[in-house]
Amino acid sequence: MRKYDKKNKMYMFIILIASVILIVIFSFFINKVITNGKIHYDIDAGSVMYDKDKNLVKLDEDGILKIKWNDMYYLMYRDQMYLLGNNAIIYNPKKSQMNLYGKYYEVTSEGEDKVIVHEDETLVNINESKFYKIADRKYLIVDKVIRTTNGELNTTNYLIVELDKSGNAQLYNNTLNLKTFKETQIQTSTYTFDIALEKLYIENEEVDLKKIIGSTNEYVKAEEIEETKPSTDEDEQNQQQGAGGNTQTPPEEDNNQNNEQDGSQNNNQQQDNNNTDHFIDATKTTSIISVTASVGYINVDYVIYDPLDEYESVFVEIYDSNNTLVAVSYFDKTTNNLVIPGLRANVTYKLNFKYSYYDNNKRVEEQFDEASVMMGSPELDLKITKVTSDRIYYKLSLDKDYKLDSVNVNLVSDLKNGKLELTNSINSSTLNGKDSIEGYFEYDDIGSYVTVYLSNIVYQGYTINSNISYKIAMP
């Protein structure tokens, strides 16, 4: 009988332990795949969300949200898969609600000592005021009033805030997409969020959001850098030397006067901070307050501050998704609103806000802000309503806000000997004033499956891309 020495026994023991660990890991993995594979959520038509690359996804019909073994959410929609990431934020404007999927850290008035952790599916009423930390340097604001204290942004319902490591932030929702390159504070009906510092001020409490799951934000205020900067002998000598090179002590009277001035300045700053309801009227700079998309046009609210009448003009350049300049619109100094018409549906436009002035008889242009806006698209719905031996009937529901120029309803079916393709072209006279259009396709032969889809959707002379289709199995 073979005997094993201590060394061999040790090797066998290690192999046994490693085998057990591998079996446990493999079992856990298999169990996770099976468990997550069973989880799915129905997502209503009309909902909007963002994929992992922050592209806006809008559903024209119902979709299904699923979760992978690695806890990544993905959307199954019209035979396509959209990867959403570890967190999915889905907004349903028709129901005035949001569905959050994944892990979220809700911050309450009790600060980091009272953080509510939400997992799996969380239903949020957008009429309530909420604040969530999603991940490192990523936040979700929910409120009916969302605006920056400097007046450059004004939106509603929700806003996603993502910081880079330098403290700059991207602010976006289903109506706007902005990038900030300076200190910005967002104010809602119940709290104020200092983005770069990652601090939340709620019910007289200051919450350090960096303490909640940590932060890789490297932003430091300029005055803090100056305070921590080591002083040199030359600096100290300069502070003690007067203009004539002699050491001077300021009179006591001047010190008191300076203290009074400092106190007055602090009081004024505190009054300004408390007077947030009138922050637009107090704006002392040319600012963009809000940029919103509507049907075929963009609405811009702004403030122009030019007491010395130095601006030659204030204007906005509009670029399409191909970075082609499509229009230039000029602001009126006497008003606070600009409408930019004639824009295409389902197109993302970039807006560069500029002003011009003359310096030594030379015209100079400077950009003071920018925005990116996704235009809406018609909400169309196509359904097959009836099938007979020689006809297929359909119903096309139209969007009352978009008066289409024309649209084609198509049918395609694979036959044993070829393919059946039929098209019904609907013009503006037929579409005018209608909430829906009903029609049918007539045929002699049909395949096992039929797909009815829309094409050549024309609005204001432009063709809108669409993947609206309806597929059925024939009886």
Side-chain angles (χ1 to χ4, degrees):
M1 182 176 178
R2 184 179 179 182
K3 294 183 179 181
Y4 296 95
D5 57 19
K6 290 184 178 180
K7 188 174 182 180
N8 288 334
K9 289 181 179 179
M10 182 62 68
Y11 284 150
M12 293 179 64
F13 180 74
I14 293 174
I15 293 173
L16 179 62
I17 295 298
S19 300
V20 171
I21 293 174
L22 288 174
I23 291 172
V24 171
I25 293 174
F26 184 73
S27 300
F28 174 79
F29 174 78
I30 293 298
N31 181 68
K32 186 118 180 175
V33 171
I34 295 173
T35 302
N36 284 0
K38 295 179 180 179
I39 299 174
H40 73 275
Y41 304 93
D42 296 327
I43 308 300
D44 295 336
S47 299
V48 294
M49 66 206 70
Y50 311 89
D51 66 13
K52 198 171 184 297
D53 298 320
K54 296 194 284 290
N55 296 310
L56 184 65
V57 180
K58 184 176 180 181
L59 304 190
D60 295 316
E61 59 186 53
D62 295 346
I64 297 177
L65 184 70
K66 295 186 177 183
I67 184 171
K68 292 179 175 288
W69 65 269
N70 58 354
D71 294 332
M72 297 279 279
Y73 289 91
Y74 65 99
L75 175 75
M76 297 303 300
Y77 176 62
R78 289 182 176 165
D79 298 327
Q80 294 187 29
M81 184 180 76
Y82 297 86
L83 185 61
L84 307 184
N86 292 111
N87 297 88
I89 300 172
I90 299 179
Y91 171 53
N92 189 330
K94 294 181 180 178
K95 292 185 177 180
S96 295
Q97 73 179 33
M98 298 187 74
N99 291 69
L100 310 180
Y101 299 92
K103 182 176 284 190
Y104 294 79
Y105 301 85
E106 181 181 354
V107 184
T108 68
S109 58
E110 298 181 44
E112 58 261 26
D113 296 330
K114 185 62 175 177
V115 175
I116 303 173
V117 181
H118 300 274
E119 296 188 76
D120 301 324
E121 182 181 32
T122 304
L123 181 63
V124 179
N125 183 349
I126 62 170
N127 294 313
E128 298 178 356
S129 183
K130 299 283 187 179
F131 185 89
Y132 300 91
K133 185 165 186 177
I134 304 173
D136 177 20
R137 297 180 282 109
K138 185 174 182 180
Y139 298 90
L140 171 65
I141 295 171
V142 180
D143 203 292
K144 298 305 292 182
V145 177
I146 303 173
R147 61 195 183 187
T148 53
T149 53
N150 61 11
E152 294 183 355
L153 177 145
N154 190 359
T155 188
T156 186
N157 297 330
Y158 75 100
L159 186 70
I160 300 173
V161 180
E162 286 195 53
L163 287 79
D164 60 24
K165 291 187 178 182
S166 301
N168 303 316
Q170 186 172 359
L171 317 175
Y172 60 97
N173 60 19
N174 61 308
T175 62
L176 60 86
N177 192 323
L178 302 174
K179 182 78 173 179
T180 67
F181 296 97
K182 55 187 175 182
E183 291 187 10
T184 303
Q185 292 79 40
I186 293 182
Q187 184 184 46
T188 71
S189 62
T190 62
Y191 56 80
T192 299
F193 176 33
D194 191 314
I195 297 176
L197 294 179
E198 291 191 86
K199 289 188 177 181
L200 187 72
Y201 302 91
I202 178 171
E203 295 186 8
N204 298 321
E205 295 289 335
E206 179 185 293
V207 182
D208 187 354
L209 299 170
K210 293 181 180 180
K211 294 182 179 180
I212 302 173
I213 70 171
S215 175
T216 56
N217 184 1
E218 299 173 356
Y219 172 79
V220 180
K221 295 187 72 170
E223 53 264 36
E224 293 178 2
I225 296 176
E226 192 65 29
E227 289 175 1
T228 57
K229 181 180 177 181
S231 59
T232 63
D233 294 339
E234 184 179 354
D235 292 334
E236 294 176 356
Q237 197 172 23
N238 289 336
Q239 291 175 1
Q240 296 174 0
Q241 297 285 331
N246 299 321
T247 302
Q248 297 180 350
T249 302
E252 184 176 351
E253 181 181 355
D254 290 342
N255 284 334
N256 292 335
Q257 183 178 359
N258 290 337
N259 290 335
E260 291 176 2
Q261 289 176 349
D262 290 343
S264 175
Q265 290 176 354
N266 290 334
N267 290 335
N268 289 336
Q269 290 176 355
Q270 188 173 6
Q271 291 174 2
D272 289 339
N273 291 333
N274 293 333
N275 193 23
T276 53
D277 290 337
H278 305 287
F279 70 93
I280 293 177
D281 295 334
T283 301
K284 298 302 181 184
T285 182
T286 297
S287 303
I288 301 301
I289 299 174
S290 67
V291 181
T292 55
S294 189
V295 181
Y297 66 89
I298 293 175
N299 189 80
V300 181
D301 291 323
Y302 61 91
V303 170
I304 294 180
Y305 184 72
D306 187 22
L308 301 180
D309 198 26
E310 296 174 311
Y311 294 149
E312 184 256 342
S313 63
V314 182
F315 58 97
V316 55
E317 297 173 341
I318 302 97
Y319 295 84
D320 64 13
S321 54
N322 296 320
N323 205 30
T324 300
L325 180 64
V326 297
V328 177
S329 294
Y330 289 85
F331 294 94
D332 185 345
K333 294 183 181 181
T334 63
T335 64
N336 300 106
N337 178 262
L338 173 69
V339 175
I340 306 172
L343 300 178
R344 298 167 56 186
N346 203 30
V347 172
T348 299
Y349 288 97
K350 181 182 178 183
L351 282 67
N352 292 339
F353 298 96
K354 298 182 177 182
Y355 56 77
S356 63
Y357 60 93
Y358 282 93
D359 184 12
N360 294 327
N361 296 323
K362 181 180 179 181
R363 188 176 183 272
V364 180
E365 290 185 3
E366 290 189 13
Q367 180 171 320
F368 65 92
D369 209 340
E370 65 179 19
S372 179
V373 181
M374 174 68 178
M375 302 299 293
S377 60
E379 293 187 3
L380 307 175
D381 184 58
L382 178 64
K383 289 184 178 179
I384 295 177
T385 58
K386 183 179 177 181
V387 177
T388 67
S389 59
D390 60 350
R391 286 185 179 182
I392 289 182
Y393 294 81
Y394 63 83
K395 180 179 180 180
L396 172 61
S397 298
L398 304 172
D399 191 330
K400 63 179 181 179
D401 292 329
Y402 292 84
K403 296 180 181 179
L404 300 181
D405 300 338
S406 62
V407 60
N408 289 348
V409 184
N410 310 277
L411 179 147
V412 62
S413 178
D414 290 327
L415 306 178
K416 292 181 179 179
N417 298 313
K419 179 179 288 188
L420 176 65
E421 293 181 305
L422 302 173
T423 298
N424 287 346
S425 297
I426 308 173
N427 56 32
S428 59
S429 60
T430 304
L431 293 167
N432 190 27
K434 300 287 184 62
D435 293 329
S436 62
I437 298 292
E438 296 185 11
Y440 63 87
F441 294 101
E442 193 168 12
Y443 50 82
D444 296 324
D445 190 16
I446 200 75
S448 300
Y449 291 91
V450 169
T451 300
V452 179
Y453 65 96
L454 300 183
S455 68
N456 294 333
I457 304 171
V458 180
Y459 173 70
Q460 293 185 345
Y462 295 99
T463 301
I464 300 172
N465 297 324
S466 170
N467 55 0
I468 298 175
S469 63
Y470 200 97
K471 185 177 182 179
I472 64 168
M474 297 299 293

